[in-house]
């Protein structure tokens, strides 16, 4: 299964950040042709077939990818650094969401808020455990920030919920963050 993890990371790179790595074209909604993805991954020197791809999609603990109904297309459900329209609908979030980050980022977040950086959106979590998992991926010295989404809604900030239950927004000003 170690190979599945490596392939999953490579698929993530392709579908979220650099489809040109294997000369793949995504449509405006981030969808890739499943057969073409498999062919081009194999041409890149890695081995994958539909069964393996389906297993990676189904078993990914973060549910990063989804197929369309007939599985002829595949896409990443969030986390893109390339411009795609995921067709997400605006949703009212819980009163509080969380953002896990490395401790070294706290001072800049206090000054500038939480920015989307090289991604399309800021990623927030509905629970502390998920926020901690995100934070510890980047550093053993981390902090979980509490976001007052109720106050943000009053100032017309918009929130979206990805297929894999990641809360998304464009920006979180520091005045809405409990440090």
């Amino acid at each position: 299964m170690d190979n599945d993890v490596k392939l999953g990371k490579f698929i993530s790179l392709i579908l979220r950040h650099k489809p040109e790595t294997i000369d793949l074209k995504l449509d405006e909604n981030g969808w890739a042709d499943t057969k073409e993805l498999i062919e081009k991954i194999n041409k890149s020197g890695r081995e994958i077939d539909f069964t393996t791809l389906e297993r990676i999609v189904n078993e990914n603990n973060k549910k990063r990818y989804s197929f369309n109904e007939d599985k002829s297309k595949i896409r990443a459900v969030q986390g893109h650094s390339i411009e795609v329209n995921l067709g997400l609908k605006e949703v009212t979030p819980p009163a509080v969401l969380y953002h896990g980050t490395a401790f070294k980022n706290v001072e800049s977040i206090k000054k500038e808020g939480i920015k989307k950086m090289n991604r399309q959106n800021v990623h927030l979590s509905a629970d502390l455990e998920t926020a901690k998992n995100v934070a510890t991926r980047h550093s053993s010295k981390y902090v979980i920030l509490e976001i007052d989404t109720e106050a943000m809604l009053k100032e017309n900030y918009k929130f979206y919920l990805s297929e894999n239950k990641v809360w998304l927004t464009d920006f979180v000003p520091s005045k809405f963050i409990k440090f």
Side-chain angles (χ1 to χ4, degrees), residues 2 5 15 22 30 32 44 60 64-65 89 95 113 151 154 158 177:
D2 188 40
V5 173
L15 296 180
I22 59 169
S44 79
N60 182 269
R64 277 199 169 122
Y65 326 100
K89 305 271 184 272
K154 287 177 185 164
K158 296 178 183 345
I177 304 168

Side-chain angles (χ1 to χ4, degrees), residues 59-167:
E59 294 178 6
N60 182 269
N61 63 342
K62 294 180 182 148
K63 301 293 177 208
R64 277 199 169 122
Y65 326 100
S66 67
F67 287 113
N68 65 349
E69 261 183 48
D70 66 3
K71 298 184 179 176
S72 64
K73 293 184 176 191
I74 184 173
R75 75 175 177 182
V77 298
Q78 47 68 221
H80 298 81
S81 60
I82 54 175
E83 192 65 37
V84 296
N85 178 358
L86 296 173
L88 298 172
K89 305 271 184 272
E90 194 177 335
V91 182
T92 301
V96 172
L97 289 173
Y98 303 96
H99 182 76
T101 190
F103 185 76
K104 66 181 169 79
N105 297 331
V106 171
E107 284 310 308
S108 90
I109 290 172
K110 279 181 180 176
K111 287 182 197 134
E112 302 173 25
I114 303 171
K115 299 179 188 177
K116 54 188 171 181
M117 307 305 277
N118 64 344
R119 296 215 173 148
Q120 279 194 298
N121 302 99
V122 170
H123 294 190
L124 303 170
S125 308
D127 62 277
L128 289 165
E129 190 60 32
T130 304
K132 180 183 174 188
N133 290 341
V134 170
T136 55
R137 271 197 1 240
H138 302 293
S139 175
S140 59
K141 292 179 181 163
Y142 66 92
V143 63
I144 308 296
L145 304 173
E146 192 175 293
I147 313 303
D148 183 353
T149 54
E150 210 167 28
M152 288 181 70
L153 286 171
K154 287 177 185 164
E155 292 195 21
N156 298 316
Y157 285 87
K158 296 178 183 345
F159 292 86
Y160 307 89
L161 186 60
S162 70
E163 262 181 69
N164 61 344
K165 307 296 182 227
V166 174
W167 285 93

